[in-house]
């Protein structure tokens, strides 16, 4: 239901800017405003949903409160920073983010962060975080997070697909009735490629459906005690689709037919399979979802989740590429 609403609504012009906050007053009496975007709102919601899901799965495995947060906090912090840094390196732009780059870094660092937690905090406090099962939980949470996070891309008009007019007849036939038409000159698709008002491949919608569908299947396998299978499926589907979807996108992805993000995807997949080949673990009993849900009912956890949403929203939602001019005045009697 969320996706049906979002796919129809978010490409519209009025679903890019969520709020304009007055910052300072100019000589003409108008205020310069800071724009807060729906991009930030949906990204923050995606981060929050993914972390909550991870915490439920981690709690269902019997991982402690400290153990869960000691893994998820550094992974989030590094990936959020990497999303801007890698976009700057690949796309040569300061004011943009890349989920592909962030997920690549996340895949690389996750097994090592878990290992470091086990030999430091785990050893001191007497707990151990299972590497494969925890990696599976993180990958599943990531699949849901990116699936929901693609709504942010629709609202901002970024990560857009190729215009149907340039596609082959079969592609045009497939997406003739199901496509995106973005409105508004402040959408990225407008100021980068002047494709506003044109039908384009709904690549963000396809990603949202594929990733969340994969997440549902993998979550089912996880609660059935098949964590390695769930991990492999999640990795194969998310990284495989990321590689394939790059060919359907029109936004700038760096020079060359094979983008840097596709190379990252291939490397991350091979890297993960190599890591899995060297990990030998005895798996626990079936995850206890009820224990995982009760894991959230903790004042410290609730405060952490609220802070996470606020930080994520402010980090990704404050627009650096748009500005606003706000005129604040008293309403005339005739207007009341």
């Amino acid at each position: 239901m969320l996706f049906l609403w979002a796919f129809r609504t978010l490409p519209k012009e009025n679903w890019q800017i969520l709020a304009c906050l007055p910052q300072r007053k100019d000589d003409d009496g108008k205020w310069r405003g800071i724009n807060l975007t729906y991009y930030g709102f949906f990204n923050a919601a995606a981060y929050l949903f993914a972390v909550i899901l991870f915490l439920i799965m981690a709690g269902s495995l019997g991982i402690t409160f400290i153990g869960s947060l000691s893994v998820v906090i550094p992974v989030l912090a590094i990936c959020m920073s990497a999303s801007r840094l890698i976009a700057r390196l690949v796309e040569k732009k300061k004011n943009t983010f890349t989920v592909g780059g962030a997920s690549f870094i996340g895949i690389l660092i996750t097994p090592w962060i878990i290992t470091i937690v086990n030999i430091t905090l785990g050893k001191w406090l007497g707990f151990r975080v299972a590497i494969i099962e925890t990696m599976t939980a993180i990958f599943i949470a990531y699949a849901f997070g990116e699936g929901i996070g693609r709504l942010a891309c629709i609202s901002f008009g970024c990560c857009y697909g190729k215009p149907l007019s340039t596609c082959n007849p079969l592609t045009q036939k497939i997406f003739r009735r199901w496509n995106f038409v973005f409105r508004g000159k402040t959408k990225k698709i407008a100021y980068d490629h002047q494709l506003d008002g044109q039908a384009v491949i709904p690549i963000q919608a396809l990603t949202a459906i594929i990733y969340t569908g994969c997440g549902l299947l993998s979550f089912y396998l996880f609660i059935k005690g098949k964590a390695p299978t769930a991990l492999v499926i999640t990795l194969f589907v998310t990284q495989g689709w990321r590689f394939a979807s790059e060919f359907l996108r029109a936004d700038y992805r760096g020079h060359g037919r094979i983008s840097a993000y596709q190379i990252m995807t291939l490397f991350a997949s091979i890297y993960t399979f190599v890591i899995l080949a060297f990990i030998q673990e005895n798996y626990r009993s079936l995850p206890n979802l009820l224990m995982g849900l009760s894991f959230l009912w903790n004042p410290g956890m609730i405060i952490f989740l609220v802070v996470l949403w606020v930080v994520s929203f402010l980090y990704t939602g404050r627009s650096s590429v748009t500005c606003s001019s706000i005129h604040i005045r008293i309403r005339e009697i005739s207007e009341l």
Side-chain angles (χ1 to χ4, degrees):
M1 291 177 63
L2 172 64
F3 286 172
L4 286 175
W5 168 83
F7 297 161
R8 295 176 180 176
T9 305
L10 296 183
K12 297 177 182 178
E13 185 174 8
N14 60 320
W15 282 91
Q16 181 178 359
I17 304 300
L18 172 64
C20 301
L21 303 182
Q23 186 178 27
R24 66 178 183 272
K25 202 171 187 178
D26 289 332
D27 294 337
D28 60 1
K30 295 182 180 180
W31 292 83
R32 292 189 183 184
I34 299 173
N35 294 336
L36 301 178
T37 61
Y38 283 104
Y39 179 90
F41 175 85
F42 285 113
N43 261 322
Y47 277 122
L48 183 65
F49 186 91
V51 170
I52 288 175
L53 189 61
F54 167 73
L55 292 173
I56 291 173
M57 289 187 284
S60 72
L61 295 172
I63 299 174
T64 65
F65 175 83
I66 295 177
S68 298
L69 291 189
S70 61
V71 171
V72 75
I73 289 176
V75 169
L76 274 177
I78 294 171
C79 289
M80 289 176 72
S81 301
S83 67
R84 188 186 289 269
L85 177 61
I86 293 179
R88 185 179 299 183
L89 292 174
V90 175
E91 303 175 36
K92 310 302 180 185
K93 294 179 180 179
K94 293 193 300 181
N95 303 316
T96 189
F97 298 90
T98 168
V99 178
S103 65
F104 169 69
I105 296 299
I107 291 172
L108 295 188
I109 65 173
T110 294
W112 301 108
I113 287 179
I114 297 172
T115 301
I116 292 171
V117 168
N118 282 334
I119 63 178
T120 54
L121 284 177
K123 188 175 181 179
W124 301 333
L125 301 178
F127 68 83
R128 185 180 184 281
V129 179
I131 297 177
I132 290 182
E133 290 171 305
T134 307
M135 284 178 63
T136 304
I138 289 178
F139 283 20
I140 293 172
Y142 154 71
F144 277 103
E146 181 163 355
I148 296 172
R150 284 301 161 182
L151 303 187
C153 301
I154 300 174
S155 71
F156 202 78
C158 60
C159 307
Y160 43 89
K162 292 181 177 180
L164 291 185
S165 59
T166 65
C167 297
N168 59 63
L170 177 59
T171 303
Q172 291 183 12
K173 185 177 180 180
I174 294 172
F175 295 107
R176 182 180 60 219
R177 303 180 71 178
W178 192 46
N179 54 67
F180 281 157
V181 178
F182 291 92
R183 306 291 181 183
K185 293 301 180 182
T186 56
K187 301 271 192 182
K188 188 176 182 181
I189 192 173
Y191 63 76
D192 256 13
H193 280 95
Q194 295 76 49
L195 293 176
D196 52 311
Q198 297 187 42
V200 297
I201 296 174
I203 195 68
Q204 305 98 322
L206 293 172
T207 301
I209 292 170
I210 290 171
Y211 275 51
T212 52
C214 171
L216 287 169
L217 173 61
S218 298
F219 182 75
Y220 173 78
L221 293 172
F222 175 85
I223 62 177
K224 291 296 183 181
K226 301 178 181 179
T229 304
L231 189 153
V232 171
I233 290 176
T234 306
L235 181 72
F236 177 78
V237 173
T238 58
Q239 300 309 299
W241 172 247
R242 179 170 298 285
F243 185 90
S245 65
E246 292 281 311
F247 295 115
L248 302 176
R249 291 175 61 163
D251 56 324
Y252 179 70
R253 314 297 291 161
H255 297 294
R257 180 170 174 78
I258 302 296
S259 72
Y261 297 114
Q262 289 173 304
I263 295 173
M264 291 179 198
T265 295
L266 292 175
F267 181 82
S269 301
I270 296 171
Y271 169 87
T272 304
F273 285 120
V274 171
I275 290 290
L276 293 177
F278 284 93
I279 297 176
Q280 300 293 330
E281 285 187 326
N282 295 319
Y283 300 110
R284 311 180 190 190
S285 57
L286 290 178
N288 186 336
L289 276 186
L290 190 60
M291 183 171 64
L293 288 168
S294 64
F295 189 64
L296 297 177
W297 195 244
N298 180 301
M301 186 68 77
I302 295 172
I303 292 172
F304 165 72
L305 293 173
V306 172
V307 171
L308 171 65
W309 190 93
V310 172
V311 170
S312 302
F313 175 68
L314 293 177
Y315 183 68
T316 62
R318 181 172 173 172
S319 178
S320 302
V321 296
T322 64
C323 59
S324 58
S325 179
I326 305 171
H327 185 198
I328 302 175
R329 63 181 177 83
I330 302 298
R331 296 174 66 184
E332 301 292 339
I333 295 177
S334 59
E335 297 174 319
L336 298 176

